[in-house]
């Protein structure tokens, strides 16, 4: 009898809990105002690429209905905008080569010069600006691919060595690009995918990390085949851009950002989000068929 009374007591507590819950409230959320988001990169060939998207929330159509394929984000890619870069008294107007991606018509690679980005999005009727100085180029002392043929797999590794200037507090980015025959679709972690050249790896280093490695670096390339052509680019970047990339690296991709701790990215975009970075990379090319 005591057991039955205990069970009925628990049921009563549950029923009371449900009865005490307040009625649902009608909440009207303000309309979300998207912002322009900037990404920039100098690809092999020293051509400046500017990536432009419009921000969205998980409550917007792009966020709530998205499944991760290329069509999901077509409505956030900017394809109608005026994009220019001013430097040394000149103005270069970038061309739209694909939705969300604009490119300069000539190399932008003058170290020590300040570059100013100006963008007007015709759909949002919004404008943004940003400025960055292009730092001096830092070159590899040596860099070459290593192909390790194991019993069950073939691993491609990049070995690189470089010299750091002990008088400066420097920050570096190494990008590995490939003409990838293993491309399996849209890579959300690499904005600059055009069907041929694809960023396979981005590694960030500061002075202390390089010193601990004796300025010798080995990078494993998981999605590069032995018939691919690759380019390895070393860039001397600003501390602010380094911090931006480190926080972006910590957050993972667009989907893991929803479950990780909130991160406020540093930005140099006036009126928008993201980061405008200029750098003058040292680029080395390799045909892996020759190794």
């Amino acid at each position: 009898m005591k057991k039955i009374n205990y069970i009925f007591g628990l049921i009563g507590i549950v029923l009371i809990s449900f009865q005490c819950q307040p009625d649902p409230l009608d909440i009207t959320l303000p309309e979300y105002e998207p912002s322009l988001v900037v990404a920039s990169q100098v690809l092999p060939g020293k051509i400046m690429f500017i990536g432009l998207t419009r921000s969205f929330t998980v409550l917007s159509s792009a966020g709530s209905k998205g499944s991760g394929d290329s069509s999901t984000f077509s409505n956030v890619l900017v394809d109608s905008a005026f994009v220019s870069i001013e430097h040394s008294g000149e103005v270069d107007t970038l061309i739209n080569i694909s939705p969300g991606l604009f490119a300069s018509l000539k190399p932008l690679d003058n170290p020590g010069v300040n570059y100013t980005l100006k963008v007007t999005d015709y759909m949002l009727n919004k404008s943004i600006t940003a400025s960055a100085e292009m730092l001096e180029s830092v070159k590899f002392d040596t860099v070459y691919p290593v192909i390790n043929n194991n019993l069950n797999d073939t691993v491609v590794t990049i070995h690189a060595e470089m010299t750091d200037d002990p008088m400066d507090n420097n920050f570096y980015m190494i990008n590995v690009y490939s003409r990838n025959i293993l491309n399996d679709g849209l890579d959300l972690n690499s904005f600059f995918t055009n069907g041929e050249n694809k960023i396979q790896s981005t590694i960030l280093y500061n002075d202390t990390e390089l010193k601990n490695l004796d300025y010798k670096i080995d990078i494993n390339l998981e999605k590069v085949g032995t018939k691919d052509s690759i380019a390895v680019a070393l860039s001397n970047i600003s501390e602010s851009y380094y911090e931006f990339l480190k926080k972006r690296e910590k957050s993972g991709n667009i989907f893991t950002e929803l479950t990780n701790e909130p991160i406020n990215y540093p930005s140099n975009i006036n009126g928008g989000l993201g980061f405008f970075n200029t750098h003058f990379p040292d680029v080395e090319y390799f045909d892996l068929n020759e190794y």
Side-chain angles (χ1 to χ4, degrees), residues 6 44 46 91 108 121 138 145 167 178 198-200 215 225 264:
Y6 174 74
K46 307 182 185 71
V91 178
L108 301 177
D121 183 354
V138 175
M167 301 302 294
S178 74
K198 181 178 180 181
I199 294 182
Q200 292 294 344
Y215 305 104
N264 293 321

Side-chain angles (χ1 to χ4, degrees), residues 53-126:
T53 59
R54 303 178 183 98
S55 63
F56 64 91
T57 71
V58 294
L59 299 179
S60 66
S61 59
S64 61
K65 299 177 183 179
S67 58
D69 57 18
S70 57
S71 61
T72 300
F73 300 96
S74 60
N75 61 327
V76 302
L77 299 177
V78 176
D79 59 2
S80 178
F82 177 79
V83 182
S84 68
I85 294 179
E86 298 181 8
H87 60 98
S88 306
E90 300 181 2
V91 178
D92 287 295
T93 301
L94 279 63
I95 61 172
N96 182 211
I97 61 173
S98 67
L101 194 57
F102 296 76
S104 60
L105 293 174
K106 60 183 181 181
L108 301 177
D109 52 13
N110 192 2
V113 170
N114 191 70
Y115 289 79
T116 298
L117 171 71
K118 294 183 178 181
V119 177
T120 299
D121 183 354
Y122 297 129
M123 191 187 87
L124 294 182
N125 194 27
K126 289 184 177 182

